[in-house]
Structure formats: C-alpha cells, structure tokens
Amino acid sequence: MSKLAIGIDLGGTSIKGGLVSGTTGLVRERTIDTNADEGPTAVLDRIADLVRELTVDAGFANLHGVGVGAPGVINWDRTTISYPPNFPGWDVVNLGKELSSRLEHPLVTVVENDANAAGLGSAHYGAGKRFDSFIMVTLGTGVGGAIIYQNRIFRGSTGAAGEIGHMTIDYEGPFARSGVAGAIEAYLGQRFLSRHARYKLMNRRDSLIHQMADKDLMGITPRMLFDAAVSGDEGAIEVLSWAGHKLGCVLGSAANLLDIRKFVVGGGLSGAGGYILDSARETLVRFVLPGLSEGLEIVQETAGNDVGMLGAAHLIFQHIDEKGLHSG
Amino acid sequence: MSKLAIGIDLGGTSIKGGLVSGTTGLVRERTIDTNADEGPTAVLDRIADLVRELTVDAGFANLHGVGVGAPGVINWDRTTISYPPNFPGWDVVNLGKELSSRLEHPLVTVVENDANAAGLGSAHYGAGKRFDSFIMVTLGTGVGGAIIYQNRIFRGSTGAAGEIGHMTIDYEGPFARSGVAGAIEAYLGQRFLSRHARYKLMNRRDSLIHQMADKDLMGITPRMLFDAAVSGDEGAIEVLSWAGHKLGCVLGSAANLLDIRKFVVGGGLSGAGGYILDSARETLVRFVLPGLSEGLEIVQETAGNDVGMLGAAHLIFQHIDEKGLHSG
C-alpha cells in the first residue's frame, strides 16, 4: 500500500486539505471556511473534522501524518505556530498535540511556514519540479518567498528564511508594512500595486480599468489589472511591466547572494503572468553578476493554489524518509 | 600525531601559506610574492616550493593535504581554478594535479573561492567562531562575501554563492564594475569609496585627508580614511558612516532572505572598523523585518588576513571528516 499523508494549507479565510499518496499524488481534496473569528478551539475542531473526512476510507492505519502550512512564526522543531496574523486568540499552539487529542489517535504532525510549504509543493508537484534549487516568490497581499535548495526548504537560523518580500531595492524607497524602505512588497504587495495603478491610470481615461473599477479607482485590484492586461489594455500592461521590473531587481540580488538561478513565481497571476515575468526576465540579467548569468530562468507556478497543500503533505513524506516509518 | 594541513591564500600580489595542525592551529606561515606576470608555470612552481618549505620537518607522510583559496571561478568538485582575474595566461588549471606532479607526491588538494575560504577560516579560527551561521563580508578592492551555514560554506548551485557585493540597494544607483546598478560594491569598493571621499572632502580644507593625500585628492585611499577617522577627523568619520549606512542596508536584505542574523566584516579596517560598523548596525535594524530583528549582530574580523589561509587549511580537515583519512 502506498504511503498516505494529509496536507493542510491553513489560510486566514479558507483551509484547504488534501489526502496525498506518495506514489500517485492527490487522492482527494476539500476546502472549508476558516472562520478565524470563532477562535482557536473552533478552528482546530474544524481542522480535525477535515482530517477525519479526508481519511474516511483510508483509515488512520495507513495515514503517516498530517503536514500543515500555516502563517505566523513556526518553531525550529516544526511543532508549533506562534501568533498567526489574522487569527484572533491564538498564541502558541502545538498543532500535533491538538489534532491527536481531537482525533483520539497519535498523529505525526509537521508544521511549516505557509510560504515554505508552497515552495516545497512546487519543488515536488509544481513548476519547481524541473529544478533542484530555486527561489519561490508568491505574490498576494504581501510578497512571500521560500528558498528551495537541493530539493529541501532552506530554513535559516530559526526557520524563518525566505522573506524575499522584505529585501530592499531602494534604500530611500517607499515603506512596506514592515517598515523596510524600498522593500519589494512596497511595489508588488496588493495594496501597493493597486495604489501605483491608481495614480498611473488616473488620467488615462481610455484604460479598461476605469470601467472595471466602476469609475472608482480606489477599488482597483491586482485581479482587475491582470484581466485588463489580458484584454490588451496598454495602461494595465505598463503597470505590470513596472512591477516586473522591480521583481527582476530583487531576484537579481537574491541570485548574486545564493547562486540560485531559477525562480518560480506564484500567486494567481493566471494569464497575466507573462506581462510581469517578461519584464522581470529583462531586468534580472542586468542585476546579476555577469559570471552568474548563465541558466537564469523565471517561470510561473502552474499548480496554482494547490502547491501549499501538496507541499504540506510532502513534509510528512520527507519526515518518513529521515526518521523511518515508525518514529513519531 | 595531530592532523596537519597546508592552507594557501592565493592573491594577485602575494601568496600566503601556512602549516596548520588540526589540534593546535597555525604551526608556521610564510608569505611570498605572487609575481603573477611571470605566468602560470612560474606561479605554480612558487606554490610548490612554498608547500615544500612549510612541510620541511613534518614530511609529506603526516600532511593530509593542501587547501587553496583562490580568485576566479572554482568548479563544483573544488579541483580547478578558471581564469582567475589578474593572473595573465591562466585558463583552467587543476591545482591538485599541478602540485602533485611538482612535488612528486600525490596530494589531496581542495580549492575554494577566496571569499568562501575566508568565511570558513573566520568560522573556525576567527570572529565567526561564536556563530554557527553568519555572513562574511570582506571589504577590499571589491566587496567579497561568503555564507557560512551551520559551520559550512553554503555553495549555491555551482559553488559561486556569497556575492553580496553585487546585491543592489538602489536600482537606479551608481554602477559597480559588474554593471549592476546600486550594487553595494559601487559604494564600498576601494575605488568607489575613495571617489565619494574625494567629492565629500574637496571643500573641507580642515580635513586631515588633504595633508595625507599630499593635497592631491585623487590619491585618497580607504587606508587614509581609516587613519584619519582614528585621528578624529570629522570628514573621514562622516564618509565611513555613510559607507556603513549602505552596508547596513544590504545586510538587512540578506538577513531577510536567509534568516541569518550574524555578520562578520573583514578586510583590514583595523581601528577604524567601529566608524563603519556602528553606522551599519544602526541601519541594519531598520532594514530587517521586525520579526527577524532579535539577535542581529555585526562584528569585525579579528584574525585579520590570516582567515583566508586558515580557512583553506580547514577545507582539508573537513574533507578528511567526510571522506575518511585514506581517500584521495
């Protein structure tokens, strides 16, 4: 019988769970609402229910564990989440303990930062499969990142490595939410990208964005920019090229530091990815030491939002490989 | 009998060699001129002579190998140097083969990039001893760097990781020799720092620098700036603070990406280190994600220029640990 693991992608609005086979991949998946405002006990109950539902015919006997990708700070031993943002009432939570007691079954549980889990998922199930080492960048509310080195997560000193969104590309640039001037998130984070689009397109009445935002440019979203770009809107394309230029700068810095030359960009860019990535590719080569420029590649994540859940399940397969089947 | 290894720091102007004991450290050292213009055969002969001289009473029987820190591109297997800059006539040179044939004795030889060798030396014999993981920055003609992760060199995809000098802090900033805009080397590299000082101090006739440079500010060197700062010269101190600010920005980016929070800065700053490093420390904390700011530390390398040679010797001790005593 093939190894089975459950992957959970714990998000602020939804929880995505999947039963994954070590040989055939995703068996089934299910997404539920997080309802984070109901507090930790309710959310943990819901995760336990989700695990129970996903294992229904497989049974706990064949399940090797539950991997969880979660926001907030994860401890070095990958057992606890601390103060996940947008989860009211959570302090330090030992996920394995909470789930095992709810399921009345001792479960191997491995927790990882959500961006790292997505990186690992990409490495084994997504666009990152082609590469042994790459940097994953996830565009969303913020700009997340992970370093995959020789097919494993590079964790740094405390498990928090990969915060590419907070690297600066202009020490006198705009401030990101982190207070870092010129951090890449201050260009590519949802709110920042939307604001840039607002000013850039304000006087371009021909842009589709004006209709899409119902003439209220305060309501511009990255989604609208992507859709408008795909429809050929020049203004939207210019904004995305601008964003790609900034992305290329920071990827160049990362390539110089790490000698990792492959990049996977995820985060629901869908068909508009090319507008950002082409511009990033053009810039990247100008920000990399000439001796390191061979083999540079930026690709778009194709497995979509599933990579977080798949990567979370893969944490269990890696755990088995390291510790053997019978350790807990 | 204790393990013995020779470390060679191959520089453009001088070659530093040391016989190092695995238990007691440096046994003896000797520095000779490189005379790189005489071409590869002559330089390799001189290195072989140096090895012979250093081993004189120890004998080859107790010598476990020769580690070499060298400029240029090193291959993944750590056997060859390719086209080292400022070494006319060198193409791809297999150092182990060249030395073994000259010494008429098969020698284990491990070659590493000079900045990486210095990082490893710092980790085991220098200011980096206190840290498991740190980033080494060496200020000189250029700005060199190395990543030490869990006491080993982080090599990246091809062995070229650590090029912190080419990370950008201003995508519209001045160009470094690499063509990267706003690369930290374009602020802190010898030529760039001297030029900044020239303009900054041109109209400050009270600055000691005017006497030191014999009234010709084209002749300013970082050495003069360091000496003037130690003598209390305000202009020189301002220039070094400016440089430290830039250094702090790039170290912040690196800390965010790697979750490595310790930094060792080397390169002959001597007594003036504080002027650069205090300013770097102040800036660093403003460029690091608040969640990663605990435990940030920037220290000055204390072992001076010996770390390259000592780190080169340590390559052999690591090689023995990995491969056992009798492999070649």
Side-chain angles (χ1 to χ4, degrees):
Chain A
M1 173 120 198
S2 129
K3 291 176 290 187
L4 289 174
I6 283 178
I8 302 279
D9 185 3
L10 177 59
T13 53
S14 66
I15 304 171
K16 198 160 198 162
L19 181 70
V20 182
S21 149
T23 48
T24 59
L26 191 62
V27 177
R28 72 172 67 89
E29 66 178 306
R30 183 158 151 64
T31 302
I32 59 173
D33 291 334
T34 308
N35 297 344
D37 48 325
E38 293 175 3
T41 306
V43 174
L44 290 164
D45 286 347
R46 296 166 69 73
I47 297 176
D49 287 345
L50 183 59
V51 170
R52 207 176 277 119
E53 202 182 320
L54 288 166
T55 22
V56 60
D57 53 305
F60 286 132
N62 299 312
L63 181 66
H64 289 298
V66 178
V68 183
V73 175
I74 312 300
N75 67 340
W76 183 256
D77 293 336
R78 299 182 172 183
T79 55
T80 69
I81 315 181
S82 295
Y83 302 94
N86 307 317
F87 281 76
W90 292 55
D91 40 31
V92 180
V93 173
N94 183 316
L95 268 185
K97 236 178 78 187
E98 296 292 342
L99 291 183
S100 294
S101 80
R102 277 171 174 76
L103 293 165
E104 295 170 348
H105 187 89
L107 269 179
V108 173
T109 306
V110 180
V111 195
E112 194 33 280
N113 171 273
D114 47 9
N116 283 345
L120 192 65
S122 179
H124 294 278
Y125 303 93
K129 262 166 86 169
R130 290 171 47 220
F131 312 129
D132 285 340
S133 302
F134 64 94
I135 293 170
M136 173 97 185
V137 182
T138 307
L139 305 179
T141 311
V143 176
I147 302 167
I148 301 297
Y149 183 61
Q150 294 173 346
N151 294 308
R152 307 184 65 81
I153 297 166
F154 177 88
R155 303 188 70 214
S157 302
T158 72
E163 292 286 2
I164 199 168
H166 301 279
M167 291 175 73
T168 187
I169 58 165
D170 179 4
Y171 65 88
E172 290 181 324
F175 288 102
R177 296 173 305 167
S178 56
V180 174
I184 197 69
E185 186 172 295
Y187 303 90
L188 285 155
Q190 222 155 63
R191 189 155 59 92
F192 296 94
L193 183 61
S194 300
R195 186 173 63 187
H196 179 77
R198 194 158 74 237
Y199 290 116
K200 178 96 183 172
L201 302 177
M202 197 178 279
N203 296 318
R204 297 188 62 160
R205 299 296 164 131
D206 57 326
S207 170
L208 288 174
I209 289 292
H210 287 268
Q211 299 163 37
M212 285 178 165
D214 215 10
K215 292 187 181 158
D216 175 13
L217 293 194
M218 288 302 288
I220 295 181
T221 63
R223 178 83 270 144
M224 287 178 199
L225 286 169
F226 300 161
D227 290 346
V230 170
S231 303
D233 186 78
E234 271 184 39
I237 291 172
E238 280 172 28
V239 171
L240 297 184
S241 297
W242 172 90
H245 170 62
K246 305 302 172 278
L247 181 61
C249 296
V250 82
L251 298 186
S253 276
N256 288 326
L257 183 60
L258 295 177
D259 182 20
I260 291 179
R261 310 177 189 190
K262 310 295 183 185
F263 302 92
V264 177
V265 181
L269 297 168
S270 63
Y275 298 106
I276 294 185
L277 300 193
D278 280 347
S279 158
R281 288 178 188 114
E282 213 171 280
T283 304
L284 174 61
V285 70
R286 294 191 281 116
F287 282 82
V288 169
L289 193 60
L292 300 182
S293 63
E294 208 174 303
L296 288 171
E297 219 172 322
I298 306 179
V299 300
Q300 190 172 338
E301 182 47 70
T302 42
N305 289 327
D306 281 359
V307 284
M309 172 189 73
L310 292 166
H314 198 79
L315 289 167
I316 300 297
F317 299 136
Q318 272 193 348
H319 180 85
I320 294 171
D321 285 348
E322 279 163 24
K323 310 270 167 107
L325 277 176
H326 300 293
S327 86
Chain B
M1 175 118 197
S2 131
K3 292 178 289 189
L4 289 173
I6 282 177
I8 302 280
D9 185 4
L10 177 58
T13 53
S14 66
I15 303 171
K16 198 162 196 161
L19 180 70
V20 182
S21 150
T23 48
T24 58
L26 190 62
V27 176
R28 71 172 67 89
E29 64 178 309
R30 184 159 149 63
T31 303
I32 59 173
D33 291 336
T34 309
N35 297 341
D37 49 323
E38 293 175 3
T41 305
V43 174
L44 290 163
D45 286 347
R46 297 165 69 71
I47 298 176
D49 287 343
L50 182 59
V51 170
R52 207 176 280 118
E53 202 182 321
L54 288 165
T55 23
V56 58
D57 52 307
F60 286 131
N62 299 311
L63 181 67
H64 288 298
V66 177
V68 183
V73 175
I74 312 300
N75 67 339
W76 183 258
D77 293 336
R78 298 182 170 182
T79 54
T80 67
I81 315 181
S82 294
Y83 302 94
N86 307 318
F87 281 76
W90 291 56
D91 41 31
V92 180
V93 174
N94 184 315
L95 268 186
K97 235 178 80 186
E98 296 293 341
L99 291 183
S100 295
S101 80
R102 278 172 173 77
L103 294 164
E104 295 172 347
H105 187 90
L107 269 180
V108 173
T109 306
V110 180
V111 194
E112 193 35 280
N113 171 274
D114 47 9
N116 283 345
L120 192 66
S122 179
H124 295 277
Y125 304 93
K129 261 166 88 169
R130 291 171 47 217
F131 313 130
D132 284 343
S133 302
F134 64 94
I135 294 170
M136 175 97 185
V137 183
T138 306
L139 306 178
T141 311
V143 176
I147 301 167
I148 301 297
Y149 183 61
Q150 296 174 344
N151 294 309
R152 305 184 64 83
I153 297 166
F154 177 89
R155 303 188 72 213
S157 302
T158 71
E163 291 287 2
I164 199 169
H166 302 279
M167 291 175 73
T168 187
I169 59 166
D170 179 4
Y171 64 87
E172 291 182 323
F175 288 103
R177 295 172 305 167
S178 57
V180 174
I184 197 68
E185 185 171 296
Y187 303 89
L188 284 154
Q190 222 155 64
R191 190 155 59 92
F192 297 93
L193 184 60
S194 300
R195 186 174 62 188
H196 179 77
R198 193 159 74 237
Y199 289 115
K200 177 96 181 169
L201 301 177
M202 195 179 279
N203 297 317
R204 297 186 61 159
R205 298 297 163 131
D206 57 326
S207 170
L208 288 174
I209 289 292
H210 287 268
Q211 298 162 38
M212 285 176 162
D214 215 9
K215 293 185 180 163
D216 175 13
L217 293 194
M218 290 300 289
I220 294 182
T221 63
R223 180 82 268 148
M224 286 177 200
L225 286 169
F226 300 160
D227 290 345
V230 171
S231 304
D233 187 77
E234 272 183 39
I237 291 173
E238 279 171 27
V239 171
L240 297 184
S241 297
W242 171 90
H245 170 63
K246 306 301 171 280
L247 181 61
C249 297
V250 82
L251 298 187
S253 276
N256 287 326
L257 183 61
L258 295 177
D259 182 20
I260 292 179
R261 308 177 190 191
K262 311 294 184 186
F263 301 93
V264 177
V265 180
L269 297 169
S270 62
Y275 299 105
I276 294 185
L277 300 193
D278 281 346
S279 158
R281 288 179 188 112
E282 215 172 280
T283 303
L284 173 62
V285 70
R286 295 192 279 116
F287 282 83
V288 170
L289 194 60
L292 300 183
S293 63
E294 208 174 302
L296 288 171
E297 219 172 325
I298 306 179
V299 300
Q300 190 171 337
E301 182 48 69
T302 43
N305 289 326
D306 280 359
V307 285
M309 170 189 75
L310 291 165
H314 198 79
L315 290 165
I316 298 299
F317 299 136
Q318 273 193 347
H319 181 85
I320 294 172
D321 285 348
E322 279 162 24
K323 309 272 167 105
L325 278 173
H326 300 293
S327 87

